[in-house]
Amino acid sequence: MNQIRRIGIMGGTFNPIHQGHLILAEQAREYCELDEVLFVPSGNSYMKDSDEILDGKTRISMTALAIEDNPFFALSSMEVEREGATYTCETIRELIGTQPRAEYYFILGADALFSIESWKEPEEIFKSCILVAAARDSQDTFSLTEKAMELQTKYQARIVILPERKIDISSTEIRSRIRKGKSVRYMMPEKVFHYITGKKLYSGG
């Protein structure tokens, strides 16, 4: 009998992708013994202001560069190719349609776990995959554990809390530093850094 594949789903705008994203994905892969982590750059997110978000093709190119050296990482453009607003429940439904026997692990940050009930069809997300939530510090771990217990009771959600790991890098900070002419080297993979500087992305020029 073939072993069921464990696939992590790493969604996000990746605007731009940075070392924090990659460390989180690798931590989830190792902790949950995943066979693969699938990076899914978002299309038109209904939850974010699109003014600062680069086009999908550019964000896919950056993500591809960031993950190409890791044999356990893969890339999907399904959300960028999908017309209209992007919904996580639809992405998971589509993935299950392509690999129905796989077990899916949806990787998300602490903030996302606290807001997930406001997402479209959260019950389907809870039913279809295991949530893997990232804690940044001990306070996060305590709060996340409480929230996880609440969601488990209310929705029978399956939730894994990753051990805390402080990763103080954000896409917002990177964009801000670029606009101010400050260095962002080492905040992302070298290939992504050269892609951004070569194309003068986020500089406002």
Side-chain angles (χ1 to χ4, degrees):
M1 183 180 293
N2 292 333
Q3 186 178 3
I4 294 175
R5 279 174 57 77
R6 294 181 172 189
I7 301 176
I9 304 169
M10 184 76 181
T13 50
F14 303 129
N15 185 46
I17 191 167
H18 55 68
Q19 300 290 18
H21 296 127
L22 301 174
I23 292 170
L24 171 57
E26 183 70 359
Q27 183 188 17
R29 182 193 71 78
E30 184 177 60
Y31 192 79
C32 298
E33 300 180 336
L34 305 179
D35 295 294
E36 177 183 79
V37 177
L38 187 64
F39 284 72
V40 188
S42 64
N44 299 315
S45 174
Y46 70 103
M47 300 178 74
K48 291 200 175 185
D49 182 356
S50 61
D51 288 347
E52 269 201 325
I53 300 176
L54 295 184
D55 65 276
K57 184 178 178 181
T58 300
R59 290 182 289 111
I60 284 173
S61 295
M62 289 190 290
T63 304
L65 288 171
I67 69 173
E68 66 180 5
D69 295 330
N70 190 323
F72 296 103
F73 289 175
L75 173 63
S76 170
S77 59
M78 65 167 63
E79 288 197 356
V80 170
E81 293 170 0
R82 187 186 300 144
E83 294 184 359
T86 293
Y87 299 105
T88 297
C89 61
E90 293 175 357
T91 297
I92 294 171
R93 193 181 304 142
E94 189 174 336
L95 287 171
I96 291 173
T98 59
Q99 294 192 61
R101 295 195 71 253
E103 189 171 54
Y104 290 95
Y105 291 71
F106 185 66
I107 304 163
L108 72 172
D111 294 344
L113 187 69
F114 283 101
S115 66
I116 196 168
E117 288 179 279
S118 68
W119 296 12
K120 182 180 179 182
E121 298 178 28
E123 297 91 345
E124 181 169 355
I125 299 172
F126 297 133
K127 180 180 70 175
S128 303
C129 61
I130 296 166
L131 302 185
V132 182
R136 288 166 296 196
D137 50 41
S138 57
Q139 180 61 41
D140 249 9
T141 300
F142 179 78
S143 301
L144 277 175
T145 301
E146 283 196 325
K147 186 62 179 180
M149 291 174 64
E150 176 190 324
L151 295 173
Q152 287 163 351
T153 300
K154 189 173 180 180
Y155 300 99
Q156 290 73 56
R158 296 163 294 166
I159 303 171
V160 174
I161 307 295
L162 292 176
E164 60 201 60
R165 182 191 291 270
K166 183 70 172 175
I167 307 170
D168 198 14
I169 303 174
S170 74
S171 298
T172 302
E173 180 192 4
I174 289 172
R175 295 193 302 270
S176 175
R177 289 182 68 85
I178 291 173
R179 283 195 299 270
K180 294 173 182 176
K182 295 184 177 181
S183 174
V184 293
R185 196 161 208 159
Y186 310 120
M187 298 178 77
M188 64 199 74
E190 193 79 356
K191 293 174 184 176
V192 178
F193 172 76
H194 287 302
Y195 184 91
I196 288 173
T197 54
K199 293 183 175 291
K200 296 181 172 57
L201 302 178
Y202 305 113
S203 62

